[in-house]
Protein backbone atom coordinates (compact mmCIF):
# COMPACT_ATOMS: atom_id res chain seq x y z
CA UNK A 1 0.00 0.00 0.00
CA UNK A 2 1.22 3.52 -0.73
CA UNK A 3 1.57 6.04 2.05
CA UNK A 4 -1.30 8.36 2.91
CA UNK A 5 -0.57 12.04 3.36
CA UNK A 6 -1.32 13.41 6.82
CA UNK A 7 -1.04 17.09 5.83
CA UNK A 8 -4.10 19.32 5.70
CA UNK A 9 -3.81 20.10 2.01
CA UNK A 10 -3.35 16.73 0.30
CA UNK A 11 -5.86 13.94 -0.19
CA UNK A 12 -4.90 10.36 -0.93
CA UNK A 13 -1.55 8.96 -2.00
CA UNK A 14 1.75 10.75 -1.51
CA UNK A 15 3.32 9.02 -4.52
CA UNK A 16 4.07 11.63 -7.21
CA UNK A 17 1.33 11.88 -9.85
CA UNK A 18 -0.76 9.21 -8.12
CA UNK A 19 -3.66 11.63 -7.72
CA UNK A 20 -5.06 14.48 -9.87
CA UNK A 21 -3.57 17.87 -9.03
CA UNK A 22 -6.78 19.22 -7.48
CA UNK A 23 -6.43 16.59 -4.73
CA UNK A 24 -3.97 19.05 -3.20
CA UNK A 25 -6.26 21.79 -1.91
CA UNK A 26 -3.39 24.29 -1.88
CA UNK A 27 -3.54 24.24 -5.71
CA UNK A 28 -6.25 26.53 -7.05
CA UNK A 29 -8.80 25.00 -9.41
CA UNK A 30 -11.58 26.55 -11.52
CA UNK A 31 -13.61 23.34 -11.48
CA UNK A 32 -13.87 22.00 -7.94
CA UNK A 33 -15.09 23.25 -4.57
CA UNK A 34 -15.77 21.87 -1.10
CA UNK A 35 -18.91 20.04 -2.30
CA UNK A 36 -16.76 18.08 -4.75
CA UNK A 37 -14.16 17.37 -2.08
CA UNK A 38 -16.79 16.07 0.33
CA UNK A 39 -18.30 13.81 -2.32
CA UNK A 40 -14.83 12.60 -3.37
CA UNK A 41 -14.04 11.54 0.21
CA UNK A 42 -17.35 9.68 0.40
CA UNK A 43 -16.75 7.79 -2.86
CA UNK A 44 -13.14 6.98 -1.94
CA UNK A 45 -14.21 5.43 1.36
CA UNK A 46 -16.85 3.39 -0.47
CA UNK A 47 -14.33 2.15 -3.05
CA UNK A 48 -11.70 1.36 -0.40
CA UNK A 49 -14.13 -0.44 1.91
CA UNK A 50 -16.65 -2.05 -0.42
CA UNK A 51 -14.97 -2.53 -3.81
CA UNK A 52 -11.19 -3.01 -3.73
CA UNK A 53 -11.22 -5.85 -1.13
CA UNK A 54 -13.55 -7.88 -3.37
CA UNK A 55 -12.05 -7.29 -6.81
CA UNK A 56 -10.28 -10.63 -7.13
CA UNK A 57 -13.32 -12.59 -5.93
CA UNK A 58 -15.72 -10.81 -8.31
CA UNK A 59 -13.38 -11.22 -11.26
CA UNK A 60 -13.07 -14.96 -10.63
CA UNK A 61 -16.85 -15.33 -10.38
CA UNK A 62 -17.36 -13.01 -13.36
CA UNK A 63 -20.19 -11.30 -11.51
CA UNK A 64 -20.85 -8.67 -8.88
CA UNK A 65 -23.33 -9.33 -6.04
CA UNK A 66 -26.59 -7.41 -5.98
CA UNK A 67 -25.84 -5.81 -2.62
CA UNK A 68 -22.84 -4.03 -4.15
CA UNK A 69 -25.17 -2.16 -6.51
CA UNK A 70 -27.48 -1.19 -3.69
CA UNK A 71 -24.56 0.15 -1.64
CA UNK A 72 -23.35 2.05 -4.70
CA UNK A 73 -26.79 3.61 -5.00
CA UNK A 74 -26.87 4.59 -1.34
CA UNK A 75 -23.51 6.37 -1.53
CA UNK A 76 -24.64 8.31 -4.62
CA UNK A 77 -22.43 6.60 -7.18
CA UNK A 78 -25.19 5.11 -9.36
CA UNK A 79 -27.36 8.24 -9.62
CA UNK A 80 -24.29 10.40 -10.27
CA UNK A 81 -23.04 8.40 -13.28
CA UNK A 82 -26.38 8.89 -15.07
CA UNK A 83 -26.70 12.62 -14.37
CA UNK A 84 -28.73 12.35 -11.13
CA UNK A 85 -32.19 12.86 -12.73
CA UNK A 86 -34.13 14.70 -10.03
CA UNK A 87 -37.54 13.83 -11.44
CA UNK A 88 -36.75 10.16 -10.89
CA UNK A 89 -34.41 9.87 -7.91
CA UNK A 90 -35.10 13.02 -5.95
CA UNK A 91 -33.02 16.01 -4.97
CA UNK A 92 -29.36 16.23 -5.87
CA UNK A 93 -26.65 16.74 -3.24
CA UNK A 94 -25.74 20.34 -2.54
CA UNK A 95 -23.42 21.67 -5.24
CA UNK A 96 -24.06 18.78 -7.62
CA UNK A 97 -22.81 19.12 -11.19
CA UNK A 98 -21.26 16.93 -13.88
CA UNK A 99 -17.95 16.74 -12.05
CA UNK A 100 -19.63 14.45 -9.50
CA UNK A 101 -19.90 11.85 -12.27
CA UNK A 102 -16.26 12.50 -13.24
CA UNK A 103 -15.24 11.88 -9.62
CA UNK A 104 -17.23 8.63 -9.51
CA UNK A 105 -15.63 7.16 -12.63
CA UNK A 106 -12.16 8.31 -11.60
CA UNK A 107 -12.32 7.08 -8.00
CA UNK A 108 -13.96 3.77 -8.89
CA UNK A 109 -11.26 3.12 -11.48
CA UNK A 110 -8.67 3.08 -8.71
CA UNK A 111 -9.69 -0.55 -8.25
CA UNK A 112 -7.70 -1.16 -11.50
CA UNK A 113 -10.24 -3.73 -12.67
CA UNK A 114 -11.95 -3.15 -16.00
CA UNK A 115 -14.43 -5.91 -15.22
CA UNK A 116 -15.48 -4.49 -11.86
CA UNK A 117 -15.78 -0.93 -13.17
CA UNK A 118 -17.82 -2.08 -16.17
CA UNK A 119 -19.82 -4.56 -14.16
CA UNK A 120 -20.83 -1.98 -11.58
CA UNK A 121 -21.38 1.16 -13.69
CA UNK A 122 -20.48 0.30 -17.30
CA UNK A 123 -23.78 -1.18 -18.39
CA UNK A 124 -25.78 1.32 -16.41
CA UNK A 125 -23.67 4.33 -17.34
CA UNK A 126 -24.35 3.80 -21.05
CA UNK A 127 -27.64 1.90 -20.94
CA UNK A 128 -29.68 4.05 -18.55
CA UNK A 129 -29.19 7.72 -19.60
CA UNK A 130 -31.44 7.38 -22.68
CA UNK A 131 -34.19 5.96 -20.46
CA UNK A 132 -33.66 8.39 -17.58
CA UNK A 133 -33.59 11.50 -19.78
CA UNK A 134 -35.63 10.73 -22.91
CA UNK A 135 -38.04 7.84 -22.31
CA UNK A 136 -41.69 7.99 -21.27
CA UNK A 137 -42.68 8.64 -17.68
CA UNK A 138 -43.78 5.02 -17.43
CA UNK A 139 -40.33 3.72 -18.42
CA UNK A 140 -38.63 6.22 -16.12
CA UNK A 141 -40.69 4.96 -13.19
CA UNK A 142 -40.62 1.23 -13.97
CA UNK A 143 -37.10 0.90 -15.38
CA UNK A 144 -34.89 3.87 -14.52
CA UNK A 145 -35.83 4.16 -10.85
CA UNK A 146 -35.14 0.53 -9.83
CA UNK A 147 -31.85 0.65 -11.75
CA UNK A 148 -30.72 3.82 -9.98
CA UNK A 149 -31.66 2.22 -6.67
CA UNK A 150 -29.46 -0.76 -7.49
CA UNK A 151 -32.43 -3.14 -7.54
CA UNK A 152 -32.31 -3.88 -11.28
CA UNK A 153 -29.61 -3.81 -13.95
CA UNK A 154 -29.51 -2.56 -17.52
CA UNK A 155 -27.22 -2.81 -20.54
CA UNK A 156 -26.78 -0.99 -23.83
CA UNK A 157 -27.12 -3.40 -26.77
CA UNK A 158 -25.66 -1.84 -29.92
CA UNK A 159 -22.70 -3.84 -31.27
CA UNK A 160 -23.27 -6.83 -33.54
CA UNK A 161 -21.02 -9.52 -35.06
CA UNK A 162 -20.79 -7.53 -38.31
CA UNK A 163 -21.28 -3.99 -36.95
CA UNK A 164 -19.27 -2.74 -34.00
CA UNK A 165 -18.19 0.84 -34.61
CA UNK A 166 -20.16 0.80 -37.89
CA UNK A 167 -23.55 1.58 -36.34
CA UNK A 168 -25.09 2.56 -39.68
CA UNK A 169 -24.95 -1.09 -40.76
CA UNK A 170 -26.81 -2.64 -37.82
CA UNK A 171 -28.83 -5.70 -38.84
CA UNK A 172 -31.12 -6.14 -35.82
CA UNK A 173 -34.60 -5.35 -37.15
CA UNK A 174 -37.72 -4.11 -35.37
CA UNK A 175 -40.60 -4.85 -37.75
CA UNK A 176 -43.82 -2.87 -37.36
CA UNK A 177 -46.69 -5.06 -36.15
CA UNK A 178 -49.55 -2.83 -35.02
CA UNK A 179 -48.98 -1.84 -31.40
CA UNK A 180 -45.82 -3.92 -31.28
CA UNK A 181 -42.43 -4.37 -32.91
CA UNK A 182 -41.17 -7.84 -33.78
CA UNK A 183 -37.43 -7.82 -33.08
CA UNK A 184 -34.90 -10.20 -34.63
CA UNK A 185 -31.13 -10.01 -34.44
CA UNK A 186 -27.94 -10.83 -32.57
CA UNK A 187 -25.92 -8.46 -30.40
CA UNK A 188 -22.32 -9.11 -29.39
CA UNK A 189 -19.86 -7.79 -26.78
CA UNK A 190 -22.73 -6.53 -24.59
CA UNK A 191 -21.34 -5.30 -21.28
CA UNK A 192 -23.42 -6.63 -18.34
CA UNK A 193 -25.48 -8.66 -20.80
CA UNK A 194 -25.37 -11.78 -18.65
CA UNK A 195 -27.07 -10.18 -15.66
CA UNK A 196 -28.99 -7.23 -17.13
CA UNK A 197 -32.76 -7.10 -16.58
CA UNK A 198 -33.23 -4.65 -19.45
CA UNK A 199 -31.56 -3.86 -22.76
CA UNK A 200 -31.54 -0.40 -24.31
CA UNK A 201 -31.31 -1.79 -27.82
CA UNK A 202 -30.31 -0.21 -31.12
CA UNK A 203 -32.70 -1.59 -33.74
CA UNK A 204 -33.45 -0.83 -37.35
CA UNK A 205 -36.96 0.60 -37.63
CA UNK A 206 -36.28 2.06 -41.08
CA UNK A 207 -35.84 0.12 -44.29
CA UNK A 208 -32.75 -1.93 -45.11
CA UNK A 209 -30.96 0.97 -46.81
CA UNK A 210 -31.91 3.66 -44.27
CA UNK A 211 -28.43 3.79 -42.74
CA UNK A 212 -27.93 5.67 -39.49
CA UNK A 213 -31.22 7.56 -39.86
CA UNK A 214 -33.14 4.28 -39.73
CA UNK A 215 -31.79 3.28 -36.31
CA UNK A 216 -33.86 3.74 -33.14
CA UNK A 217 -33.52 2.87 -29.46
CA UNK A 218 -35.97 0.36 -28.01
CA UNK A 219 -36.17 -0.84 -24.41
CA UNK A 220 -36.41 -4.65 -24.34
CA UNK A 221 -36.96 -6.58 -21.11
CA UNK A 222 -34.83 -9.68 -20.69
CA UNK A 223 -37.79 -11.79 -19.59
CA UNK A 224 -39.64 -11.35 -22.88
CA UNK A 225 -40.10 -14.54 -24.86
CA UNK A 226 -37.38 -14.94 -27.47
CA UNK A 227 -34.61 -13.10 -25.59
CA UNK A 228 -31.56 -15.21 -24.77
CA UNK A 229 -28.01 -14.53 -23.59
CA UNK A 230 -24.79 -16.50 -23.52
CA UNK A 231 -21.40 -15.55 -22.05
CA UNK A 232 -18.29 -14.43 -23.89
CA UNK A 233 -14.84 -15.33 -22.57
CA UNK A 234 -12.83 -12.14 -23.08
CA UNK A 235 -9.16 -11.27 -22.56
CA UNK A 236 -10.01 -8.84 -19.77
CA UNK A 237 -12.99 -7.18 -18.05
CA UNK A 238 -13.74 -10.24 -15.93
CA UNK A 239 -16.75 -9.49 -13.78
CA UNK A 240 -18.60 -7.44 -16.40
CA UNK A 241 -20.80 -10.27 -17.69
CA UNK A 242 -19.98 -9.58 -21.36
CA UNK A 243 -22.41 -11.52 -23.53
CA UNK A 244 -24.10 -12.32 -26.78
CA UNK A 245 -27.74 -11.19 -26.68
CA UNK A 246 -30.11 -12.75 -29.21
CA UNK A 247 -33.61 -11.60 -30.14
CA UNK A 248 -35.77 -14.22 -31.85
CA UNK A 249 -39.25 -13.00 -32.83
CA UNK A 250 -39.45 -10.87 -29.70
CA UNK A 251 -42.71 -8.90 -29.38
CA UNK A 252 -42.01 -5.50 -27.86
CA UNK A 253 -44.74 -2.87 -27.31
CA UNK A 254 -44.26 0.40 -29.16
CA UNK A 255 -44.53 2.27 -25.87
CA UNK A 256 -41.00 0.95 -25.21
CA UNK A 257 -39.61 3.09 -28.03
CA UNK A 258 -37.11 5.50 -26.50
CA UNK A 259 -36.22 7.67 -29.48
CA UNK A 260 -34.21 8.11 -32.65
CA UNK A 261 -30.51 7.94 -33.51
CA UNK A 262 -29.73 11.41 -32.08
CA UNK A 263 -30.26 10.05 -28.56
CA UNK A 264 -27.78 7.27 -29.22
CA UNK A 265 -25.25 9.75 -30.64
CA UNK A 266 -25.48 11.86 -27.47
CA UNK A 267 -25.08 8.71 -25.43
CA UNK A 268 -21.91 7.81 -27.34
CA UNK A 269 -20.34 11.06 -26.12
CA UNK A 270 -20.87 10.25 -22.43
CA UNK A 271 -19.73 6.68 -23.06
CA UNK A 272 -16.47 7.87 -24.65
CA UNK A 273 -15.81 10.38 -21.91
CA UNK A 274 -16.45 7.69 -19.28
CA UNK A 275 -14.06 5.31 -21.01
CA UNK A 276 -11.52 8.14 -21.23
CA UNK A 277 -11.72 8.84 -17.49
CA UNK A 278 -11.40 5.15 -16.70
CA UNK A 279 -8.46 4.63 -19.08
CA UNK A 280 -6.59 7.62 -17.71
CA UNK A 281 -7.00 6.52 -14.09
CA UNK A 282 -5.77 3.06 -15.12
CA UNK A 283 -2.76 4.80 -16.69
CA UNK A 284 -2.29 6.77 -13.47
CA UNK A 285 -2.38 3.52 -11.49
CA UNK A 286 0.27 2.03 -13.79
CA UNK A 287 2.36 5.15 -13.17
CA UNK A 288 1.87 4.94 -9.40
CA UNK A 289 2.81 1.27 -9.31
CA UNK A 290 5.87 2.02 -11.45
CA UNK A 291 7.12 4.76 -9.14
CA UNK A 292 6.65 2.57 -6.07
CA UNK A 293 8.58 -0.21 -7.81
CA UNK A 294 11.55 1.81 -9.09
CA UNK A 295 12.15 3.27 -5.65
CA UNK A 296 12.67 -0.24 -4.23
CA UNK A 297 14.06 -2.33 -7.09
CA UNK A 298 17.87 -2.49 -7.20
CA UNK A 299 19.77 -3.34 -10.40
CA UNK A 300 23.44 -2.81 -11.22
CA UNK A 301 24.11 -1.60 -7.69
CA UNK A 302 21.44 1.09 -7.42
CA UNK A 303 17.70 1.51 -7.38
CA UNK A 304 15.95 1.98 -10.72
CA UNK A 305 15.00 5.56 -9.92
CA UNK A 306 18.69 6.46 -10.14
CA UNK A 307 18.77 5.47 -13.82
CA UNK A 308 18.21 8.42 -16.23
CA UNK A 309 16.38 6.26 -18.78
CA UNK A 310 13.91 5.15 -16.08
CA UNK A 311 13.30 8.71 -14.94
CA UNK A 312 12.61 9.64 -18.57
CA UNK A 313 10.00 6.90 -18.76
CA UNK A 314 8.31 8.15 -15.59
CA UNK A 315 8.30 11.75 -16.76
CA UNK A 316 6.80 10.79 -20.11
CA UNK A 317 4.07 8.74 -18.45
CA UNK A 318 3.28 11.62 -16.10
CA UNK A 319 3.17 14.13 -18.96
CA UNK A 320 0.65 12.02 -20.83
CA UNK A 321 -1.54 11.31 -17.80
CA UNK A 322 -1.71 14.91 -16.61
CA UNK A 323 -2.43 16.42 -20.03
CA UNK A 324 -5.12 13.82 -20.73
CA UNK A 325 -6.77 14.51 -17.40
CA UNK A 326 -6.81 18.23 -18.15
CA UNK A 327 -8.40 17.59 -21.58
CA UNK A 328 -11.14 15.45 -20.00
CA UNK A 329 -11.81 18.08 -17.32
CA UNK A 330 -12.19 20.80 -19.95
CA UNK A 331 -14.85 18.80 -21.79
CA UNK A 332 -16.69 18.01 -18.58
CA UNK A 333 -16.68 21.71 -17.71
CA UNK A 334 -18.42 22.58 -20.98
CA UNK A 335 -21.21 20.12 -20.18
CA UNK A 336 -21.50 21.54 -16.66
CA UNK A 337 -21.80 25.13 -17.94
CA UNK A 338 -24.52 24.18 -20.45
CA UNK A 339 -26.58 22.57 -17.69
CA UNK A 340 -26.08 25.47 -15.29
CA UNK A 341 -27.44 27.75 -17.99
CA UNK A 342 -30.66 25.75 -18.07
CA UNK A 343 -30.01 22.90 -20.48
CA UNK A 344 -30.46 19.16 -20.08
CA UNK A 345 -27.08 17.52 -19.44
CA UNK A 346 -27.44 15.41 -22.59
CA UNK A 347 -28.54 18.22 -24.89
CA UNK A 348 -25.11 19.81 -25.55
CA UNK A 349 -23.42 16.51 -26.17
CA UNK A 350 -23.81 16.49 -29.95
CA UNK A 351 -21.52 19.54 -30.02
CA UNK A 352 -18.78 17.52 -28.31
CA UNK A 353 -18.81 14.51 -30.64
CA UNK A 354 -15.44 15.13 -32.30
CA UNK A 355 -13.63 16.16 -29.14
CA UNK A 356 -15.05 13.27 -27.10
CA UNK A 357 -13.75 10.90 -29.78
CA UNK A 358 -10.30 12.49 -29.61
CA UNK A 359 -10.33 12.44 -25.81
CA UNK A 360 -11.12 8.73 -25.79
CA UNK A 361 -8.24 8.02 -28.19
CA UNK A 362 -5.88 10.21 -26.18
CA UNK A 363 -6.80 8.40 -22.96
CA UNK A 364 -6.65 4.86 -24.31
CA UNK A 365 -3.31 5.47 -26.02
CA UNK A 366 -2.00 7.02 -22.81
CA UNK A 367 -3.13 3.92 -20.96
CA UNK A 368 -1.54 1.60 -23.51
CA UNK A 369 1.76 3.49 -23.26
CA UNK A 370 1.76 3.53 -19.46
CA UNK A 371 0.76 -0.13 -19.16
CA UNK A 372 3.58 -1.13 -21.51
CA UNK A 373 6.17 1.02 -19.75
CA UNK A 374 5.08 -0.26 -16.33
CA UNK A 375 5.32 -3.84 -17.59
CA UNK A 376 8.90 -3.29 -18.78
CA UNK A 377 9.88 -1.64 -15.51
CA UNK A 378 8.50 -4.62 -13.57
CA UNK A 379 10.27 -7.00 -15.95
CA UNK A 380 9.62 -10.73 -15.51
CA UNK A 381 7.43 -10.10 -12.46
CA UNK A 382 4.83 -8.60 -14.76
CA UNK A 383 4.60 -11.78 -16.80
CA UNK A 384 3.16 -13.70 -13.86
CA UNK A 385 -0.56 -13.79 -13.08
CA UNK A 386 -1.54 -12.04 -9.87
CA UNK A 387 0.56 -8.97 -10.59
CA UNK A 388 -1.55 -5.79 -10.84
CA UNK A 389 0.50 -4.39 -13.72
CA UNK A 390 -0.04 -7.62 -15.66
CA UNK A 391 -3.75 -7.30 -14.96
CA UNK A 392 -3.86 -3.70 -16.17
CA UNK A 393 -1.99 -4.65 -19.34
CA UNK A 394 -4.78 -7.10 -20.23
CA UNK A 395 -7.36 -4.32 -19.98
CA UNK A 396 -5.84 -2.15 -22.72
CA UNK A 397 -7.83 -3.49 -25.68
CA UNK A 398 -11.03 -3.58 -23.64
CA UNK A 399 -10.92 0.23 -23.56
CA UNK A 400 -9.25 0.95 -26.92
CA UNK A 401 -11.89 -0.88 -28.98
CA UNK A 402 -15.33 -0.55 -27.28
CA UNK A 403 -17.16 2.75 -27.55
CA UNK A 404 -15.61 3.28 -30.98
CA UNK A 405 -12.23 1.83 -31.94
CA UNK A 406 -9.29 4.23 -32.08
CA UNK A 407 -8.90 4.42 -35.85
CA UNK A 408 -12.63 4.97 -36.35
CA UNK A 409 -12.66 7.69 -33.68
CA UNK A 410 -9.72 9.55 -35.20
CA UNK A 411 -11.29 9.49 -38.65
CA UNK A 412 -14.70 10.54 -37.29
CA UNK A 413 -13.16 13.48 -35.45
CA UNK A 414 -11.29 14.56 -38.57
CA UNK A 415 -14.42 14.37 -40.72
CA UNK A 416 -16.50 16.34 -38.22
CA UNK A 417 -13.84 19.00 -37.76
CA UNK A 418 -13.36 19.45 -41.53
CA UNK A 419 -17.11 20.04 -41.75
CA UNK A 420 -16.79 22.80 -39.17
CA UNK A 421 -18.38 20.71 -36.40
CA UNK A 422 -15.47 20.68 -33.96
Amino acid sequence: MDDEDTSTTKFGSTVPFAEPKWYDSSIKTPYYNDHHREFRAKIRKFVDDEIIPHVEEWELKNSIPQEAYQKAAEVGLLPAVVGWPEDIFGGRPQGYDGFFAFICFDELSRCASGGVVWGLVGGMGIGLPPIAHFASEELKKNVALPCIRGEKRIALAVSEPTAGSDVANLKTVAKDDGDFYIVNGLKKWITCGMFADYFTTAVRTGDEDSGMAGVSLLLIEKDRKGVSVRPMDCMGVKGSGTAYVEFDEVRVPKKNLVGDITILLRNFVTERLGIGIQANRFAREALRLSIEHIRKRKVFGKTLDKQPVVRYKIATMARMVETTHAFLESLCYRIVIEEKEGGNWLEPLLKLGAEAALAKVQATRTFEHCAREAAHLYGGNCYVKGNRVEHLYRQVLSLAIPGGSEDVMVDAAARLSLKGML
Side-chain angles (χ1 to χ4, degrees):
M1 293 291 291
D2 53 299
D3 295 334
E4 294 295 312
D5 196 339
T6 57
S7 75
T8 58
T9 64
K10 292 184 179 180
F11 178 88
S13 174
T14 59
V15 175
F17 306 109
E19 309 286 6
K21 289 303 177 187
W22 75 276
Y23 280 37
D24 183 344
S25 60
S26 69
I27 297 175
K28 304 301 181 184
T29 169
Y31 304 132
Y32 305 100
N33 54 45
D34 286 342
H35 299 302
H36 298 106
R37 295 183 184 96
E38 182 180 349
F39 186 70
R40 176 193 62 192
K42 188 177 180 181
I43 297 299
R44 174 154 295 208
K45 185 177 188 307
F46 168 74
V47 172
D48 284 347
D49 294 349
E50 304 291 346
I51 302 298
I52 291 177
H54 306 291
V55 164
E56 186 175 351
E57 173 193 352
W58 294 347
E59 287 179 338
L60 288 172
K61 291 182 177 179
N62 199 24
S63 65
I64 298 172
Q66 190 69 42
E67 57 265 27
Y69 295 88
Q70 293 168 344
K71 290 178 180 178
E74 291 167 4
V75 80
L77 190 148
L78 295 190
V81 298
V82 295
W84 208 298
E86 291 184 281
D87 58 330
I88 300 173
F89 195 68
R92 294 170 166 181
Q94 188 176 2
Y96 177 89
D97 61 19
F99 280 105
F100 277 55
F102 194 119
I103 290 167
C104 285
F105 279 114
D106 190 43
E107 282 291 323
L108 180 60
S109 297
R110 289 175 48 251
C111 75
S113 168
V116 170
V117 174
W118 280 19
L120 194 63
V121 300
M124 179 172 171
I126 60 180
L128 195 61
I131 310 301
H133 297 280
F134 293 100
S136 67
E137 293 303 315
E138 181 179 354
L139 289 181
K140 288 180 179 181
K141 177 182 177 182
N142 296 332
V143 175
L145 181 57
C147 286
I148 294 174
R149 286 176 173 168
E151 300 163 355
K152 297 286 185 179
R153 289 179 268 191
I154 193 168
L156 182 69
V158 176
S159 296
E160 298 179 356
T162 58
S165 299
D166 186 10
V167 177
N169 283 315
L170 293 178
K171 304 300 183 185
T172 298
V173 175
K175 184 179 177 182
D176 194 326
D177 187 37
D179 292 333
F180 290 82
Y181 289 110
I182 307 299
V183 181
N184 286 282
L186 176 64
K187 298 295 183 179
K188 189 177 182 181
W189 303 291
I190 305 307
T191 302
C192 301
M194 287 305 299
F195 39 70
D197 299 288
Y198 311 103
F199 298 103
T200 303
T201 311
V203 297
R204 185 163 300 285
T205 51
D207 59 43
E208 186 177 351
D209 300 321
S210 57
M212 191 81 82
V215 176
S216 301
L217 283 179
L218 186 66
L219 190 284
I220 303 178
E221 298 89 342
K222 188 186 222 173
D223 58 7
R224 288 194 177 275
K225 183 180 178 181
V227 179
S228 62
V229 301
R230 63 183 190 275
M232 298 182 68
D233 188 11
C234 300
M235 178 190 297
V237 295
K238 304 296 185 181
S240 67
T242 304
Y244 291 97
V245 181
E246 188 165 7
F247 305 104
D248 183 11
E249 294 292 305
V250 181
R251 287 176 60 82
V252 182
K254 285 186 174 177
K255 65 181 181 180
N256 280 21
L257 185 67
V258 179
D260 62 18
I261 188 63
T262 60
I263 296 174
L264 183 60
L265 293 176
R266 290 185 180 96
N267 203 60
F268 283 155
V269 173
T270 56
E271 178 182 14
R272 288 160 188 163
L273 292 177
I275 290 173
I277 295 166
Q278 179 186 348
N280 203 54
R281 175 57 88 160
F282 280 7
R284 193 182 292 278
E285 280 296 294
L287 173 57
R288 178 184 67 82
L289 291 166
S290 296
I291 293 174
E292 289 179 344
H293 178 69
I294 66 171
R295 285 173 162 176
K296 297 180 292 186
R297 173 68 168 161
K298 278 191 175 182
V299 289
F300 305 115
K302 54 186 175 182
T303 54
L304 282 172
D305 63 342
K306 301 299 190 294
Q307 304 282 358
V309 67
V310 171
R311 294 197 297 269
Y312 178 83
K313 287 177 181 289
I314 294 298
T316 301
M317 293 163 72
R319 169 176 58 80
M320 296 174 72
V321 168
E322 293 299 339
T323 54
T324 302
H325 193 91
F327 186 15
L328 290 163
E329 283 181 324
S330 72
L331 296 180
C332 183
Y333 175 73
R334 285 165 59 186
I335 297 172
V336 167
I337 288 300
E338 289 274 359
E339 187 175 22
K340 285 183 176 179
E341 293 177 352
N344 179 294
W345 81 302
L346 283 176
E347 290 300 329
L349 295 181
L350 287 177
K351 305 174 187 176
L352 295 178
E355 288 156 298
L358 293 176
K360 177 185 180 292
V361 174
Q362 172 68 21
T364 55
R365 289 190 176 173
T366 294
F367 176 36
E368 181 174 17
H369 176 85
C370 292
R372 184 183 187 280
E373 293 290 63
H376 280 270
L377 289 171
Y378 268 71
N381 290 327
C382 180
Y383 200 63
V384 181
K385 286 288 184 88
N387 181 287
R388 234 31 213 164
V389 173
E390 177 271 338
H391 182 85
L392 281 167
Y393 200 99
R394 284 189 289 109
Q395 312 304 310
V396 168
L397 290 180
S398 72
L399 297 177
I401 296 172
S405 63
E406 289 181 349
D407 291 339
V408 173
M409 292 295 91
V410 169
D411 182 62
R415 285 187 287 106
L416 288 170
S417 62
L418 291 172
K419 292 178 181 178
M421 300 174 68
L422 182 61

